[in-house]
Amino acid sequence: MQRRPSAMTVSIDTQGRVAIVTIDNPPVNASSQAVRAGLLEAVTKTEDDPDVDAVVLACAGRTFVAGADVREFDLPLMEPHLPDVIAAIEAASKPWVAAIHGTALGGGLELAMGCHFRIADPMARMGLPEVNLGLVPGAGGTVRLPRLVEAELALTMIAGGKPILANVALTAGLIDAIATSDLLDEAVALAVEHAAPRRTLENAVVGASDAEAFDKTATGLRRKVRGQESIAAAIDAVGRGVRLPADEALAAERAAFLALKSSDQARALRHIFFAERATLADPRAKLTPRPLQRIGVIGGGTMGVGIVSAFLMRGFEVTLIERDEASLHAGADRVHATLDSSAKRGLLPDLDAVSARFDTAIDYAALSDADLVIEAVFEDMEVKKQVFARLDQVTKPDAILATNTSYLDVNAIAAVLSDPSRAVGLHFFSPAHVMKLLEIVLPGAVAEDVVATAAKLSKSLGKIGVLSGVCDGFIGNRIMSAYRAEADRLLIDGASPDQVDSAMRAYGFPIGVFEMQDLAGLDIAWAMRKRRLAEGKISGGYIRIADRLCEIGRFGRKTGAGWYDHVDGTALPSEVVMSIIAEERQTMEAVGKAFATEDVMPRILGAMTREAEAVLAEGIARSAEDIDVVMVNGYSFPRWKGGPMFAARSAGG
Ligand code: T1G
């Protein structure tokens, strides 16, 4: 039976003696104040209706309730509150069945768990991702979930914030059935089947006897917390949900939720949530894109392999081009290895179908019908220009030609084309099939529908596309170069690499700037510095420490030494490095006094925001929010700080 679109946020229909309560609050049926009020009214109406024996709760549009309305969190919460609505449904004398399609997240899953039975679409996903917004579930999730699934699973779902698929939810006991044909009809059948409600809160905690395993998992999760308060709070809340009487645990959960809602971290995480959804607000991004199906990738190195895999995993046909057979085989082997490991982790149900869309060639002519070609060859201007010149010869006129350069002048690369308007920068981050960020670099001549195509492509690849103008390093690498230079200045002023890195880790970065260089390899940036020095792009006060490390072959982990000595996988402070630093201090006539660790982050953040403000003022980035999205998703800036611009502005900067 078709769901009747209704002007009402919540409407009631009947099918026989079953009432169908439908929420219609686009785009994701968030449980806004109007939805909550509508649901409470529906409870009263269906309870009082003698012709109604049971109720099905369903949603119009593309998803079940995807949570509380996050936009309401900056306002005082309005009645009726979601816990009260859920309590009313749970207490109803007639059975309520939740019919779940798309996503049931946060308050949406809490609502479904307040219902007495649940049936879901095969592709539905369910979860309590509140920690990602700096919160804990606030409407009974930490109390009802462990009364439906194993307490340990409830713990990992709530502390991890990741949804589960319908088949896992069925096995775990979260839902009662998976629809085989029409979800709504089968939900009605389930409602008819059950004469009486089955209240979740009356269930015992599942697996309560296994407290040892629960505590072990909790300890393991606590160890992973890197400063995001909501994760520790979520672990505590589920612990209470498992150990305390339900009403006590519910009250404590609500108090924790309300306290976190107005916290700095929750505000920062809301900021980044909405900023990530606003990056493509540019009107050009909304134009009609060119069709994309056949993709060419030039270069089977680390980036090329990741890019090929990213496209194959999202349904595109991809041809990898390399300069000779040996490189081609090596590249193709790495692509297959990447796909295999994703399949092993259950991320790729149809590996054969994916591999069937993968082709390889040496001859560029293989790309004559490609819709888009991305070059991921060595980071050298002349090499990239030669590749583009060849592509200009072989590709069809409306094919889009993209460069994956991470620093070079995209205008100069585009200029070799007879029609530069079809050129664009698509700057992926390594590993390209994993990292969410995609910098879309727009050369001056870019056609508007090329912008639209790149924007749509970023969504098709499941990435966050951020538009950037052309400058050395675009948004992210330019800002990173600035705080990396500041980190070098900190060494001259007396700090040690370990001191800087531990300050950055304490602030919330997974690793510090020197550890990051050892991971990525110092030689890449060295080549870039040499190029910039040759182009006279580096001004006075140049610090040579990193160059001197490279001159003696200390390229980082891959050579066993860089800023640190890497011994059996452990990074140890290095006397060689400290003596080179001491010599460079002398060369720069710096005293190199004892440096206070608490002075590190203000300098690093200062350099970051100064460069970010310049990037904004020059129009390279469209907004401060875009800069935050880039630094959080591409450079591990701690998400719960909101990004450098949000953090600076929150601190009154
Ligand atoms: N509230 C308000 N707006 C929301 C929203 C929400 N919960 N979720 C999405 N939107 C908007 C979003 O801003 C965008 O708007 C549009 O919907 C499409 O979103 C009491 C405390 C559901 C998986 O954390 O994960 O419940 O930009 O671009 O990629 O315990 O949105 O078009 O104007 O992301 O298809 C818990 C958050 C809340 C889920 C869809 N729920 N949402 O992804 O579309 S806290 C969440 C998502 C809570 C209770 C607590 C995703 C999605 P616009 P989109 P999508």
Side-chain angles (χ1 to χ4, degrees), residues 134-288:
L135 306 166
V136 294
T142 65
V143 184
R144 289 190 174 84
L145 187 60
R147 284 168 170 73
L148 289 170
V149 307
E150 285 281 341
E152 241 184 294
L153 173 60
L155 181 61
T156 48
M157 282 179 68
I158 295 172
K162 293 205 171 40
I164 60 174
L165 276 172
N167 59 337
V168 178
L170 181 67
T171 315
L174 179 53
I175 58 175
D176 301 282
I178 291 183
T180 52
S181 62
D182 185 276
L183 175 65
L184 201 62
D185 288 348
E186 291 180 43
V188 169
L190 190 62
V192 170
E193 204 183 302
H194 294 279
R198 180 193 62 183
R199 300 188 173 89
T200 307
L201 276 188
E202 291 167 6
N203 293 355
V205 169
V206 184
S209 56
D210 213 345
E212 201 184 323
F214 182 90
D215 292 341
K216 195 158 165 273
T217 304
T219 309
L221 289 167
R222 265 184 220 290
R223 263 199 227 103
K224 289 195 200 127
V225 176
R226 265 191 312 111
Q228 188 167 330
E229 300 154 352
S230 57
I231 299 174
I235 296 168
D236 295 342
V238 181
R240 289 190 298 266
V242 165
R243 293 199 168 88
L244 295 181
D247 53 354
E248 274 180 49
L250 284 173
E253 177 202 77
R254 188 71 182 172
F257 163 73
L258 292 173
L260 285 166
K261 186 171 81 65
S262 48
S263 68
D264 292 346
Q265 290 199 359
R267 258 197 300 279
L269 287 161
R270 282 199 291 278
H271 158 76
I272 209 77
F273 176 85
F274 287 116
E276 285 171 343
R277 284 156 180 80
T279 58
L280 298 172
D282 182 300
R284 291 170 294 179
K286 311 242 179 290
L287 298 171
T288 309

Side-chain angles (χ1 to χ4, degrees), residues 27-28 62 66-71 107 110 129-130 133 137-138 257 273 277:
V28 294
R62 64 189 172 114
D69 190 333
V70 178
R71 291 171 208 280
E110 290 171 306
E130 283 85 346
L133 289 166
F257 163 73
F273 176 85
R277 284 156 180 80

Side-chain angles (χ1 to χ4, degrees), residues 567-632:
V567 183
D568 304 331
T570 308
L572 301 171
S574 159
E575 282 171 20
V576 174
V577 174
M578 290 316 291
S579 63
I580 289 173
I581 293 173
E583 286 164 17
E584 288 303 313
R585 284 176 186 154
Q586 272 181 344
T587 314
M588 303 185 81
E589 293 161 5
V591 284
K593 60 185 185 332
F595 200 89
T597 304
E598 61 271 17
D599 295 339
V600 168
M601 281 317 291
R603 295 262 303 257
I604 294 282
L605 293 172
M608 217 183 262
T609 40
R610 276 193 301 280
E611 196 64 30
E613 293 291 358
V615 163
L616 196 53
E618 293 167 28
I620 300 296
R622 278 173 341 105
S623 67
E625 287 76 12
D626 281 4
I627 294 174
D628 285 338
V629 170
V630 166
M631 299 314 289
V632 164

Side-chain angles (χ1 to χ4, degrees), residues 388 392-393 414-422:
F388 260 48
D392 202 25
Q393 304 303 317
V416 305
L417 299 176
S418 48
D419 171 11
S421 77
R422 64 181 180 135

